Amino acid sequence: MSRISDTFAFLRRKGFAAYIPYICAGDPSIDFSRKLIYNLVEAGADILEIGIPFSDPIADGPLIQGAMMRSLSNGFQIRHLFELISEVRAYENDKPIIIMSYLNPIIQFGTEHFCELASEAGADGLLFVDLPLEESKEIDEVARSNGLDIIRIIAPTSDDERINRLLRNSSGFVYVVSVAGVTGPREKLPETVFPFLKMVKDRSHVPVVLGFGISGPHQAALAVMAGADGVVEGSNLIRLYNSAGGNDASLPIIANHVREMKVAIS
């Protein structure tokens, strides 16, 4: 079993869902990202999703766009991602690490070289926001040959046939998007997401995780009650540490929030 499968199996035995924070690498600095990740791990995060900053993040709303622009402005390069993951692995060996990215930076870097270095650094899976299933065969083969799971995204607009194809070609878990829009905290998730989530869950051979719009314990609890095996939270974390200054002083606030999220989904 992969580190991702092991984690979901462990949580299932405990009756818990997974809390998966999204971190934009290098926002506002690699040093802060490192401290933020250690803080998240200590507070109880189950899986880490680390995003690669990209200059044209069409699936992301203002909060993650801002984080990516700060990181790029401060000199982020992909080699920093591998250094960061290696450091996290030296600190914590059990938590799965997912790399989230748009496709262009990976192609520019070189797909095979990227997958080799990601695996060597200690990553466990890849999630490409804008990679169509129909064009993913080559990347899938390279990723799998390096022991990396491929996380697929299922949108509210995906039809039955496409959902089935995405599930057949998924490993690790599948990522269900709660809204047909960009990332960002929502005061309320659409009611339609819960029956949609249950339908995907009933068909899936891998755990099902809900993301986009998660912005607090109540929403996370509703998602898990509807059948989610985990929730991803990104924009709301960026909002929290930005509102607290985006420095070390924000870390205790983030830790308290993570503990509240864990209670909500336990």
Side-chain angles (χ1 to χ4, degrees):
M1 294 176 73
S2 71
R3 198 154 22 206
I4 296 173
S5 299
D6 284 344
T7 295
F8 278 108
F10 171 79
L11 292 170
R12 193 177 302 115
R13 289 195 297 272
K14 296 287 186 181
F16 300 156
Y19 175 65
I20 309 173
Y22 164 91
I23 304 102
C24 177
D27 175 39
S29 67
I30 289 294
D31 182 58
F32 181 77
S33 291
R34 183 188 307 108
K35 292 177 180 176
L36 176 61
I37 290 171
Y38 294 174
N39 185 62
L40 291 165
V41 168
E42 291 298 323
D46 299 296
I47 298 173
L48 302 165
E49 182 183 333
I50 303 179
I52 296 177
F54 180 48
S55 58
D56 187 23
I58 57 174
D60 287 301
L63 284 163
I64 291 181
Q65 286 182 19
M68 289 182 169
M69 293 308 111
R70 283 191 294 273
S71 177
L72 292 171
S73 297
N74 289 331
F76 174 86
Q77 299 178 23
I78 286 186
R79 67 177 176 83
H80 295 135
L81 171 76
F82 302 128
E83 293 168 3
L84 179 62
I85 293 174
S86 295
E87 289 174 344
V88 173
R89 274 286 160 258
Y91 173 80
E92 162 59 62
N93 193 48
D94 294 333
K95 306 290 184 186
I97 297 175
I98 310 301
I99 297 174
M100 175 272 179
S101 182
Y102 292 84
L103 193 54
N104 189 276
I106 310 305
I107 293 174
Q108 292 296 319
F109 187 85
T111 303
E112 291 190 19
H113 193 39
F114 179 88
C115 290
E116 290 169 1
L117 293 182
S119 181
E120 289 173 9
D124 302 283
L126 303 175
L127 193 166
F128 295 125
V129 180
D130 55 351
L131 173 63
L133 179 62
E134 293 77 7
E135 300 174 20
S136 69
K137 182 178 179 181
E138 181 179 346
I139 291 179
D140 290 357
E141 290 176 354
V142 174
R144 286 172 178 145
S145 69
N146 283 281
L148 299 167
D149 281 318
I150 300 293
I151 315 300
R152 307 287 183 192
I153 293 178
I154 295 178
T157 52
S158 301
D159 61 26
D160 280 357
E161 190 273 338
R162 188 163 190 80
I163 289 170
N164 290 336
R165 290 178 59 207
L166 289 165
L167 290 173
R168 282 198 301 271
N169 289 278
S170 296
S171 61
F173 63 88
V174 292
Y175 189 126
V176 173
V177 173
S178 69
V179 295
V182 298
T183 59
R186 265 75 170 180
E187 292 186 3
K188 186 178 181 181
L189 296 177
E191 290 295 330
T192 52
V193 73
F194 301 115
F196 182 71
L197 183 66
K198 184 178 185 308
M199 179 270 290
V200 174
K201 170 81 173 176
D202 289 344
R203 298 183 187 185
S204 181
H205 69 287
V206 293
V208 177
V209 165
L210 185 69
F212 279 41
I214 299 292
S215 58
H218 179 63
Q219 292 176 343
L222 290 176
V224 173
M225 287 173 61
D229 297 293
V231 293
V232 177
E233 184 183 40
S235 296
N236 193 49
L237 289 180
I238 293 170
R239 179 172 65 179
L240 284 174
Y241 67 68
N242 274 345
S243 63
N247 52 35
D248 291 1
S250 65
L251 296 178
I253 296 170
I254 294 292
N256 286 335
H257 176 75
V258 172
R259 286 189 280 269
E260 290 175 355
M261 293 291 281
K262 287 285 292 181
V263 169
I265 62 176
S266 298

